[in-house]
Amino acid sequence: MPNIFNKNNDEWQTGQGSLILGQRSALYDSINVRHPELFALYKLQKSIDWAENEINLEQSRMDLLTCGDAIRDIMLENIAFQWEADSIAARTITPLFAPFVTNSELWAALSKNAEIENLHALTYSEIVRQCIPNPQDVFKRVMYNENVLNRMSVVSKVFNDLSVAGAKYTLGLIENDQELYNIVFKGFVALYALERIQFGASFAATFAVVEQLIFQGIGKLVQKIMQDEFGVHAKVDLYVLKHEMTTPRGKRAMEMCYDEICQILLDVKNNEHVFARHLFSNGRSIVGLNVTLLDQWIDYNAYHVTTSFMPSSFVLGSPENPLKYMDDWLDLDKFQNAQQEGDGNNYTLNVVVDDLSDDIFEI
């Protein structure tokens, strides 16, 4: 069984190092930084940290009591899936990838992202707790709704394989070989697809409802979640994939697993199309969004995922954004309000740097 501190690690001397499945880790090293882009994303996530209870949800609670059944169902179906998905992410990111991460910057970024996934799951739980008279309704929408559970089936399968491989590798039952590397590589593909395609589809439906000037408190919280997912988490996943594809092992993984990776991305996209039809079933509708538009938005996100790291032989979707209102929600600064009139969410932490010397300035 490997030691948790590798005294034989010599990366601090050689200047070499791998993001995944390199030498088992020793010291956390911020001296020999090899991936400043990853460290910058870690620092960015720290600067935009927030709390699940900083937005008042009283009006959203009243909106859920007074809105029509169709709008209520759409909002609750979205919350149910997002609660499930972020609960999975919160419990799996660091445990699943921990046995394989061998770089300090990546470990910091993934650890922080996992902490924030806890915040996301807590936020959806708080929305249910504060806004819904019978929270059991949402529990049932997750636990007994095959439409919600099946939506995560592709990512769950990849994560389950990663979990088994991590346990075996930690116990020394399997070797650090190309086969193991391929499993980890596919794990990052699935994580990227979850955070960029699947979450993106749910955000579009949530903000289509909020565009009707209801659920504004929920909208501001979900906007913070989207800022994390699109602005940091998905970018970390993409950085790992793009960097690894410059390495011999990464190139080999893409060659060996090309068909599997294509199928993962295609199945994730198709699962979102299936859920879009469920979301708008039973006569449910939203002004400004329908099955066709949501399909096009899903394809738009799939296009950006596949063209960002896949070979040009495999492209999904279309580069045309069908939902212009999403451009506004992706920019926190587009929504300005006086703080006495509503809770603000466009701020950052720890962005002021003291670069003054000890000189004394005359006043």
Side-chain angles (χ1 to χ4, degrees):
M1 183 180 298
N3 293 322
I4 60 173
F5 185 89
N6 177 19
K7 67 179 182 180
N8 296 317
N9 185 300
D10 65 354
E11 291 179 349
W12 58 278
Q13 292 176 313
T14 65
Q16 303 300 310
S18 302
L19 285 177
I20 55 177
L21 288 170
Q23 293 188 45
R24 291 185 182 272
S25 299
L27 293 170
Y28 183 98
D29 186 359
S30 66
I31 299 169
N32 302 292
V33 174
R34 299 172 183 86
H35 300 276
E37 298 92 337
L38 276 179
F39 192 71
L41 286 168
Y42 160 69
K43 297 294 284 187
L44 174 60
Q45 184 63 86
K46 284 177 62 68
S47 74
I48 57 176
D49 204 347
W50 48 284
E52 80 284 353
N53 58 357
E54 63 186 52
I55 302 293
N56 189 298
L57 293 175
E58 178 59 24
Q59 187 57 54
S60 292
R61 184 184 72 82
M62 297 300 297
D63 290 339
L64 273 169
L65 293 174
T66 58
C67 71
D69 290 343
I71 291 295
R72 181 185 298 109
D73 277 350
I74 287 173
M75 180 60 78
L76 294 186
E77 288 290 294
N78 260 328
I79 288 174
F81 167 73
Q82 290 166 321
W83 191 8
E84 177 205 9
D86 277 320
S87 295
I88 291 173
R91 289 194 301 268
T92 59
I93 290 179
T94 44
L96 289 187
F97 290 99
F100 315 112
V101 174
T102 50
N103 169 264
S104 295
E105 298 93 79
L106 179 57
W107 180 247
L110 285 180
S111 298
K112 186 62 180 178
N113 288 358
E115 176 198 336
I116 297 299
E117 293 293 358
N118 278 299
L119 170 60
H120 294 175
L122 175 58
T123 299
Y124 289 120
S125 183
E126 280 296 293
I127 289 171
V128 172
R129 186 181 71 84
Q130 292 190 41
C131 297
I132 299 174
N134 182 16
Q136 300 302 316
D137 179 31
V138 184
F139 277 95
K140 292 176 182 177
R141 287 177 187 266
V142 176
M143 306 305 295
Y144 306 133
N145 188 334
E146 291 302 316
N147 291 291
V148 173
L149 295 174
N150 288 340
R151 196 174 174 186
M152 283 291 293
S153 60
V154 178
V155 172
S156 294
K157 168 64 169 60
V158 178
F159 282 2
N160 285 336
D161 292 344
L162 192 62
S163 178
V164 172
K168 290 181 178 180
Y169 181 59
T170 300
L171 293 173
L173 301 178
I174 57 177
E175 296 297 321
N176 179 353
D177 56 14
Q178 185 67 45
E179 182 179 355
L180 177 61
Y181 180 94
N182 293 351
I183 294 173
V184 181
F185 189 88
K186 288 183 290 185
F188 277 105
V189 171
L191 183 60
Y192 185 33
L194 169 66
E195 296 185 312
R196 191 61 179 80
I197 300 175
Q198 295 198 269
F199 286 161
S202 287
F203 294 145
T206 297
F207 293 127
V209 174
V210 178
E211 283 278 302
Q212 314 308 311
L213 301 181
I214 54 177
F215 303 121
Q216 295 295 298
I218 292 176
K220 288 181 178 180
L221 287 172
V222 175
Q223 188 181 28
K224 294 290 287 185
I225 292 172
M226 182 170 64
Q227 180 189 39
D228 295 334
E229 298 291 0
F230 279 25
V232 181
H233 299 194
K235 289 183 178 180
V236 170
D237 308 333
L238 176 58
Y239 181 92
V240 173
L241 292 170
K242 291 180 72 172
H243 170 76
E244 289 304 305
M245 288 178 62
T246 67
T247 68
R249 274 181 143 186
K251 292 175 182 176
R252 184 65 178 148
M254 181 56 75
E255 292 174 1
M256 294 176 66
C257 304
Y258 177 80
D259 291 341
E260 287 182 78
I261 292 169
C262 291
Q263 197 62 52
I264 289 170
L265 296 171
L266 182 61
D267 287 347
V268 165
K269 181 183 78 72
N270 288 342
N271 276 5
E272 290 309 298
H273 284 306
V274 170
F275 191 80
R277 278 140 189 80
H278 164 69
L279 195 64
F280 287 100
S281 63
N282 300 319
R284 294 192 287 255
S285 63
I286 313 173
V287 175
L289 187 65
N290 53 37
V291 170
T292 300
L293 286 172
L294 188 50
D295 278 352
Q296 292 172 354
W297 170 254
I298 293 164
D299 290 349
Y300 170 73
N301 285 286
Y303 175 85
H304 282 279
V305 166
T306 54
T307 57
S308 63
F309 81 98
M310 290 293 289
S312 58
S313 55
F314 182 77
V315 176
L316 292 176
S318 166
E320 298 300 322
N321 177 8
L323 302 178
K324 299 305 180 185
Y325 68 82
M326 288 299 293
D327 290 336
D328 292 335
W329 288 100
L330 285 164
D331 184 353
L332 290 173
D333 293 326
K334 286 286 184 71
F335 296 87
Q336 300 289 340
N337 58 261
Q339 295 302 308
Q340 66 268 26
E341 296 175 352
D343 297 318
N345 64 357
N346 54 334
Y347 59 83
T348 54
L349 305 175
N350 303 317
V351 295
V352 177
V353 177
D354 182 3
D355 59 358
L356 297 176
S357 65
D358 294 332
D359 295 338
I360 298 175
F361 295 90
E362 294 184 4
I363 304 295

